[in-house]
Amino acid sequence: MPQAVPNPYWNTNVARHPGILRSVPAGCGAALDVGCGDGLLARKLTARAKRVTGIDKSPEMIARARGTSAGHDRLDFIEDDFLTAELPAQGYAFICSVTTIHHMDFTAALLRMRELLCPGGELVVVGLAREASAVDWAALIAAAPIVRITKTVRRARGPEGMPIADPLMSYGEVRSVARQLLPGVRYRRHVLRRYSLTWQKPGS
């Protein structure tokens, strides 16, 4: 397996990479990174999966991903819309997505991921949501100093040109819909303004 890929930058998305990588099943065959951006996480996945595919509909991001991934012969990048791209049903042992699902129809995206995941496969989604309750706002206010200090100390930055969108769904809505579509899903709220969904598809 290739050596671990170093972080050329740090931000609140990269902060979730270690947890995502720990979720990759042992002996993973094919892995899919949905909304792969510049390919940083996809390159890291090559150390844990035999074949990795990154998909993103941004031409700029895919061009950058391909340009910085020379030498990774088990890594492919697809420029396409994840919801309509031709991808193999039940073709992936591991699927992940980091702060991308709020750019898509949430239900359609989760259903597509569920369809593409092979029986027994692992899914990890890291996302953004909006504050909609008193509890949400209290958590945001309490975490604000930690987030600010962490970003300053770590010199948070990311690749230029990354598409940005405001989340429409609240944390509660995300949790509710995910539990309907992915029975047994593990939902977690993270300090650095992220939530995660972790789910294993039932075996055949």
Side-chain angles (χ1 to χ4, degrees):
M1 289 288 186
Q3 297 298 311
V5 177
N7 290 324
Y9 55 85
W10 184 93
N11 56 38
T12 48
N13 293 330
V14 176
R16 301 259 54 90
H17 286 187
I20 293 170
L21 294 170
R22 286 193 297 270
S23 296
V24 179
C28 180
L32 177 68
D33 182 9
V34 179
C36 63
D38 67 346
L40 177 58
L41 179 56
R43 290 191 291 277
K44 294 178 181 180
L45 285 169
T46 61
R48 295 175 179 262
K50 296 177 182 177
R51 190 80 198 173
V52 178
T53 299
I55 183 169
D56 201 300
K57 67 178 182 179
S58 166
E60 181 179 352
M61 288 295 103
I62 287 295
R64 190 173 302 173
R66 288 171 176 161
T68 55
S69 301
H72 289 272
D73 57 356
R74 294 180 292 104
L75 176 57
D76 296 313
F77 291 103
I78 300 172
E79 180 191 327
D80 209 337
D81 185 334
F82 169 68
L83 296 180
T84 57
E86 292 187 11
L87 297 167
Q90 298 190 12
Y92 301 96
F94 183 75
I95 298 176
C96 61
S97 179
V98 180
T99 56
T100 296
I101 199 167
H102 70 286
H103 289 259
M104 301 180 277
D105 180 280
F106 184 81
T107 295
L110 277 191
L111 288 174
R112 188 88 206 274
M113 292 177 195
R114 189 179 73 181
E115 170 200 358
L116 297 176
L117 200 63
C118 68
E122 296 280 345
L123 170 66
V124 180
V125 174
V126 173
L128 292 171
R130 64 178 178 83
E131 288 73 21
S133 68
V135 173
D136 289 341
W137 285 106
L140 175 66
I141 293 169
I146 299 173
V147 174
R148 183 170 58 253
I149 292 170
T150 302
K151 285 185 174 181
T152 300
V153 171
R154 298 297 300 268
R155 298 179 180 179
R157 64 184 183 87
E160 295 182 3
M162 200 69 118
I164 297 174
D166 292 325
L168 299 178
M169 295 177 69
S170 68
Y171 289 97
E173 290 169 335
V174 165
R175 184 174 61 248
S176 177
V177 174
R179 286 176 174 172
Q180 292 176 28
L181 300 179
L182 307 174
V185 68
R186 182 186 181 191
Y187 168 90
R188 288 188 62 191
R189 177 88 176 263
H190 299 283
V191 173
L192 299 178
R193 297 203 69 191
R194 298 290 184 274
Y195 68 82
S196 63
L197 305 172
T198 306
W199 183 69
Q200 182 178 43
K201 187 172 183 176
S204 56

